[in-house]
Amino acid sequence: MPVKAHLVADRGFTSAENRRYLRKGGGSYIIGEKLRSGSTEARAALSRQGRYKDIAQNLKVKEVRIADDERFVICFNPEAAERDAAIRAKMIARLEDAIAGSDQLSRDKRAELRGVISTKPGLNRYLRVTPGGLLRIDAGKAKNEENLDGSTCSGPRTRK
């Protein structure tokens, strides 16, 4: 009896070229993909409504079809959501401390501070620079990240 094979790959394999290659094989595959990747597919999956099903106390999933032959299984962990929110709050507090009083700095000193912050991805993620060169917290970015709290993957992504 022939064995049906399914390829499983991690999120480092999600390029469009790799997915095209997998489709040529005609089999099914599962690929993990970061929700925060901003890929067209991840955005499409996140924009679709659907109900989560409880799988375990700390895991809920929902299936989202983005095409006839493609679907995402979005996983949500309430404990991870709390942890994500706490980490974001710490990062924003650190950033607020770092930019406090920066409006009084010269434009060059603010640019220098901006450069220092840009080397710290956790802080830089929430930094916004106004057209006048002032440093601010990017509340919109923080809100978008909040919407992803606890969503650990947009995969497995499958094709049948």
Side-chain angles (χ1 to χ4, degrees):
M1 179 190 269
V3 176
K4 199 173 198 181
H6 302 279
L7 178 74
V8 178
D10 69 9
R11 63 182 182 222
F13 199 78
T14 61
S15 73
E17 182 179 341
N18 287 339
R19 290 192 309 270
R20 276 193 300 275
Y21 182 78
L22 290 172
R23 285 186 186 104
K24 288 179 185 177
S28 64
Y29 62 87
I30 299 171
I31 301 176
E33 186 167 329
K34 291 170 68 172
L35 286 171
R36 288 174 171 85
S37 73
S39 74
T40 303
E41 294 86 359
R43 284 195 312 272
L46 288 170
S47 70
R48 302 257 186 354
Q49 297 295 319
R51 293 186 186 264
Y52 282 96
K53 295 178 184 173
D54 291 330
I55 301 300
Q57 184 177 2
N58 65 343
L59 181 63
K60 299 175 183 211
V61 299
K62 72 176 177 177
E63 179 180 339
V64 179
R65 294 210 173 268
I66 61 168
D68 288 340
D69 63 347
E70 287 192 287
R71 68 184 172 131
F72 274 70
V73 178
I74 300 176
C75 304
F76 176 75
N77 179 331
E79 294 167 5
E82 288 179 23
R83 186 175 55 249
D84 292 348
I87 290 169
R88 185 179 48 262
K90 279 184 185 179
M91 287 294 166
I92 290 173
R94 285 181 55 200
L95 181 57
E96 286 172 340
D97 288 346
I99 64 174
S102 64
D103 288 2
Q104 284 69 38
L105 297 175
S106 69
R107 194 175 202 49
D108 289 344
K109 288 293 183 184
R110 270 197 314 272
E112 187 178 310
L113 177 58
R114 168 71 180 103
V116 169
I117 292 170
S118 73
T119 66
K120 301 173 182 176
L123 300 182
N124 192 47
R125 175 183 303 162
Y126 303 111
L127 182 65
R128 178 177 65 86
V129 181
T130 70
L134 300 177
L135 306 178
R136 298 290 184 259
I137 302 296
D138 189 335
K141 179 70 174 188
K143 181 65 178 165
N144 288 341
E145 292 281 319
E146 181 181 330
N147 293 334
L148 298 175
D149 284 355
S151 299
T152 57
C153 65
S154 65
R157 180 169 162 197
T158 62
R159 178 180 183 266
K160 292 184 177 181

